[in-house]
Amino acid sequence: MSQPASSLKTSSSRRLLSRFGLSGRGLVVLVPYVWLLLFFLIPFAIVLKISFAEADIAIPPYTALLDWAEGGMLTVKLNFASFMFLLTDSLYAVAYLNSLKIAFVSTVLCLLLGYPMAYGIAKAPASWRGPLLMLIILPFWTSFLIRVYAWIGILKQEGLLNNFLIWLGVIDTPLNILYTDVSIYIGIVYSYLPFMILPLYATLEKLDDTLLEAAADLGARPVKAFLAVTLPLSMPGIVAGSLLVFIPAVGEFVIPSLLGGPNTLMIGAVLWNEFFSNRDWPVASAVAIALLLFLVVPIMLFQYFQEKQQEAAKQ
């Protein structure tokens, strides 16, 4: 009895995939690698290529990296002037340091606010957890730009916050909050707080409550039990949430531009100016590559040492 054509096609495709060493599990693992290749490695290679070019009045506004010389020889022209320019101009160092400072402070503030919220949701009754998580995710249903613009109406001198404080009698004159670093911190913490809460909740929700009961039976007070049991076990969530906040906050452009004003110096604004105002794409690409190295190298080192510690703990 002959097999149907569909089963024959399925079996032949399986044999073809197995010939290349791909099974069902291999295909599932292959999907994120293809995603990274298309949307990270290829754009990174393009930006890296532009960073080694020279600025030119042309379309695109940079010279070609590969060129055919006389005699049909293919030559590669690598220009390191853009990277050297970053080392000689203090503007970029100040922008990098200011971006790292704002991102670090914002991450700490998100952690201080997000940890109690995630802990409270994780310890809430099961019927309450869904609605509470919905309240955390609900702001994402509104446009990010609209939410940032809303803070302008809240923080400006004649805005809602100052009028409310004057009505309460707390202050006599309006506070100057908008277009300061404080307004940037408020905007970043408000926008990225859910990225801190959700990984923390996922970690805290899985903790075994019997460990806290055992600590209490051994005489540990609630604060000591939290510091000795809950906090160490929640470190994966703390690290994941901190990275999800810190990395995008370093390159943030919209919030500093709208809430911090034109005088706020962050690397995102420097990138925008180099690309669109100065039309110096090689320097802008060098700034982006340097920023990526600042972020990726420490994260890779951290993961390496963390894996070593986990291996040592298992042994």
Side-chain angles (χ1 to χ4, degrees):
M1 185 174 181
S2 61
Q3 294 181 350
S6 59
S7 62
L8 290 175
K9 291 181 180 179
T10 304
S11 59
S12 62
S13 61
R14 288 178 179 176
R15 287 196 299 268
L16 180 61
L17 292 174
S18 61
R19 182 178 302 177
F20 290 98
L22 294 176
S23 59
R25 182 180 300 177
L27 287 175
V28 173
V29 176
L30 183 64
V31 172
Y33 283 102
V34 173
W35 180 274
L36 287 175
L37 175 65
L38 293 177
F39 298 103
F40 178 76
L41 292 180
I42 294 179
F44 173 77
I46 295 173
V47 174
L48 183 64
K49 183 199 73 166
I50 297 175
S51 67
F52 288 114
E54 296 181 12
D56 192 10
I57 304 176
I59 299 177
Y62 55 87
T63 59
L65 196 64
L66 301 176
D67 192 12
W68 293 98
E70 296 181 359
M73 294 292 294
L74 182 63
T75 59
V76 180
K77 298 179 180 179
L78 295 179
N79 179 33
F80 294 92
S82 298
F83 292 97
M84 297 302 298
F85 182 69
L86 299 184
L87 299 176
T88 57
D89 195 336
S90 61
L91 171 70
Y92 302 99
V94 173
Y96 279 124
L97 293 177
N98 195 41
S99 299
L100 292 174
K101 182 199 74 172
I102 291 177
F104 176 77
V105 175
S106 301
T107 303
V108 173
L109 293 175
C110 284
L111 180 60
L112 294 177
L113 292 174
Y115 199 103
M117 296 175 68
Y119 189 84
I121 296 174
K123 298 303 178 182
S127 59
W128 281 85
R129 295 176 187 174
L132 291 175
L133 287 175
M134 181 61 65
L135 292 176
I136 300 298
I137 303 173
L138 195 61
F140 285 98
W141 293 5
T142 308
S143 171
F144 172 76
L145 195 60
I146 293 177
R147 287 185 282 130
V148 176
Y149 267 113
W151 277 105
I152 297 178
I154 296 173
L155 298 177
K156 62 184 180 180
Q157 288 193 345
E158 63 276 11
L160 180 63
L161 179 60
N162 278 313
N163 289 334
F164 180 69
L165 293 177
I166 292 174
W167 179 75
L168 290 177
V170 178
I171 59 175
D172 296 327
T173 58
L175 299 174
N176 186 22
I177 303 175
L178 191 62
Y179 303 135
T180 63
D181 287 350
V182 175
S183 63
I184 297 176
Y185 292 135
I186 292 174
I188 293 178
V189 170
Y190 167 76
S191 300
Y192 292 107
L193 186 60
F195 294 105
M196 179 67 74
I197 294 176
L198 295 179
L200 283 171
Y201 167 77
T203 303
L204 293 170
E205 195 268 338
K206 297 177 183 178
L207 293 183
D208 190 357
D209 292 335
T210 58
L211 296 176
L212 295 176
E213 296 176 0
D217 292 339
L218 294 174
R221 295 180 179 273
V223 175
K224 187 176 181 180
F226 173 79
L227 295 176
V229 179
T230 305
L231 187 61
L233 292 178
S234 62
M235 283 304 296
I238 293 175
V239 173
S242 299
L243 292 178
L244 288 175
V245 174
F246 181 80
I247 292 176
V250 172
E252 181 60 50
F253 170 72
V254 175
I255 294 175
S257 298
L258 296 180
L259 300 182
N263 295 326
T264 303
L265 186 61
M266 289 188 67
I267 202 63
V270 173
L271 270 172
W272 190 93
N273 288 329
E274 293 293 348
F275 267 116
F276 299 104
S277 298
N278 300 337
R279 296 280 295 175
D280 196 340
W281 286 25
V283 171
S285 300
V287 172
I289 296 296
L291 177 61
L292 184 65
L293 294 178
F294 279 143
L295 296 176
V296 170
V297 173
I299 293 173
M300 293 179 63
L301 291 176
F302 174 79
Q303 291 181 344
Y304 173 77
F305 288 114
Q306 190 177 31
E307 291 177 357
K308 289 293 184 181
Q309 290 179 355
Q310 292 177 355
E311 293 177 359
K314 291 180 182 180
Q315 294 177 355

